[in-house]
Structure formats: structure tokens, C-alpha cells
Amino acid sequence: MILPFFWMVSTSLKTPAEAVAQPPVWLPESLQFENYVRAMEVAPFGRYFLNSVVITSLSTAGELLFTILAAFAFSRMNFYFKNVLFTILIATMMVPFELLMIPNYLTLSRMGLINTYAAMIIPFLASVFSVFMLKQNFEAVPDELYYAAKVDGCSDFKFLWQVVVPLSKSAIVAVTILKIIGSWNAFLWPLIVTNETDIRPLPVGLQAFTTEAGTYYELLMAAATIVVLPMIVIYLFLQKYIIKGIASTGVKG
């Protein structure tokens, strides 16, 4: 698992000849840190970075809101066909995203949202996996707390935000981190729904290093390192929340 990251960083510090040498050169003779400076000059990484931050922030906030509300409804509220509806939602996880790209694209095109931030945010404002994960965690909250809150006149909405959410912090943080990583690294969908450079996120911006004359591998790897580094740092510092949140899913107590 570490080898691709090592190769990425190593290639980002090579000369153009070393980057395409056969047999492969594992370590550069001299570290070419200027590759990072050149990578920042070749493409408008400042704009790409801002786009990624906006898309990731809005899609994460939206998914958290809808996911928490849906998970609470399925875990605590009673309504007709609840189990059937939840089963159907879980079944949609078996459908590959590639099969949904064309219908989603046509829908957004008819709404006039192609080449906008909305095209990269709206389709990802809900996640069945996140709903399932939080539902299992919400069900672990003792019923006694719910009944005590209702006796005190607490509404379901107030109980959700003041009791359930604080008690499920680990699972919510885990869902948040996974969403941030997934949204930050998204490539295929933003590539399809964007036509202009000014609105593209960082992963799509990496195309700037592939031209008709060939690929500048040393610059591409330098840019890729810049893109990946924030997510690696976030994961290293917050991995305990991911492990704890996933481990507690489905455990009743």
C-alpha cells in the first residue's frame, strides 16, 4: 500500500530523464524540489484548490444534514413501509455509480446545471452508506433516554440534536472524514460535468500536465503529491475516530 505513495513522491523529485528511465530509477540522484514550483506555475492551483474546498465543504455539510435526519427517522420514528423503504435504499448500494452517471448527467443538463458547482454537489448530498452507518449507531442509544426526554417534553428534533448527536460523535466524525476524503479525491464525475478550467477541482486539474507532446511525469507527480497530502494528514490525525466510529456501528448496548 505504501509503494505507490513512495513512487509518487520519489518521481516528483526526479529529473525528466529519471522519471521515464528504463529500468526505473527508484531514487533520484539529486532532489528536484523546483518541480513543485514549476507544477504550481503550469496550472492555476490556487483556483483548483479553492474549487475543491468549496465543493468538499458544501457537499459534506449537506450530506451530514440529510444523513443525520434520515438515520434518525429510520432508527426512532415509526411510519408506514419504513423497513421496506430502508431495504430498497440498502439495495441501491449494489448499483455501480457508473450506471447512474448518464441519468444524472441528463437530469442536471435539463436543469441547466452543467458546468456549475451545483452539478458536483447536488448528486452527493445523500449517502445510503452513511445513513446505514448512523442508523445502526443511533439505535445503540438506550431507549430509556428517549422515553425520559419525551416525559420531559422534549421533541424528537430536540432529542436528536441535544442527545443522539453528541452520543454518536465518533460515528458522525467517521462519516465526515470519509466524505471529505471521497469528495476531495473525486475525479470522474467532476471531469464529466465541467467544461471550464475555472470551476474544476484539484484532481481534474492534474490533466494540465498531459499534453499532445506527452506527459510531464515529474510535474504530474509533484502536483499529485500536493493534492493527496492534505487528505493523508487529515487521516493520520483523525484515524482513531474512523476506526472507533465504524467499530461501534451495529453494537447495541
Side-chain angles (χ1 to χ4, degrees):
M1 293 176 63
I2 297 176
L3 183 60
F5 293 100
F6 169 78
W7 182 257
M8 176 181 68
V9 176
S10 174
T11 304
S12 72
L13 298 172
K14 295 176 183 177
T15 62
E18 290 175 331
V20 297
Q22 292 294 335
V25 176
W26 288 94
L27 294 173
E29 292 185 5
S30 61
L31 303 181
Q32 307 295 318
F33 288 105
E34 60 269 19
N35 287 341
Y36 288 88
V37 178
R38 291 176 58 199
M40 297 293 290
E41 294 174 348
V42 169
F45 266 82
R47 181 65 185 184
Y48 292 153
F49 183 84
L50 177 61
N51 293 337
S52 290
V53 169
V54 171
I55 295 167
T56 300
S57 300
L58 294 180
S59 61
T60 300
E63 179 177 310
L64 279 179
L65 176 61
F66 294 123
T67 296
I68 290 174
L69 294 175
F72 181 77
F74 283 116
S75 63
R76 292 291 173 182
M77 302 180 69
N78 294 316
F79 51 89
Y80 290 112
F81 307 113
K82 180 176 78 172
N83 294 331
V84 174
L85 179 58
F86 186 71
T87 301
I88 294 174
L89 288 177
I90 293 297
T92 62
M93 295 176 63
M94 302 174 63
V95 180
F97 176 71
E98 289 75 11
L99 293 180
L100 302 176
M101 287 195 298
I102 294 178
N104 285 342
Y105 182 89
L106 292 176
T107 301
L108 292 172
S109 178
R110 290 168 182 169
M111 296 174 64
L113 297 178
I114 297 300
N115 206 46
T116 65
Y117 285 129
M120 293 176 279
I121 295 173
I122 292 177
F124 304 99
L125 289 180
S127 168
V128 177
F129 172 77
S130 298
V131 172
F132 170 76
M133 199 172 157
L134 292 186
K135 173 183 177 294
Q136 302 302 105
N137 205 273
F138 288 176
E139 288 178 345
V141 177
D143 292 336
E144 290 78 8
L145 289 177
Y146 180 70
Y147 297 139
K150 298 301 287 184
V151 169
D152 290 338
C154 183
S155 64
D156 287 336
F157 191 77
K158 189 175 182 180
F159 174 75
L160 167 62
W161 295 108
Q162 294 189 0
V163 179
V164 176
V165 169
L167 291 176
S168 305
K169 181 175 66 175
S170 296
I172 294 175
V173 171
V175 167
T176 302
I177 297 172
L178 292 175
K179 173 61 177 179
I180 290 174
I181 294 175
S183 181
W184 184 270
N185 294 330
F187 172 77
L188 183 58
W189 181 251
L191 175 64
I192 293 174
V193 298
T194 58
N195 302 319
E196 298 178 3
T197 302
D198 290 344
I199 203 169
R200 286 180 167 173
L202 280 169
V204 181
L206 296 179
Q207 290 185 109
F209 303 98
T210 300
T211 66
E212 294 180 357
T215 301
Y216 301 98
Y217 289 104
E218 71 283 359
L219 301 184
L220 177 61
M221 292 299 102
T225 301
I226 296 173
V227 173
V228 172
L229 188 59
M231 294 300 102
I232 294 178
V233 173
I234 289 176
Y235 179 79
L236 290 178
F237 278 98
L238 301 178
Q239 61 176 320
K240 63 179 181 180
Y241 293 103
I242 298 178
I243 296 172
K244 184 177 179 181
I246 295 177
S248 61
T249 301
V251 179
K252 304 261 302 184

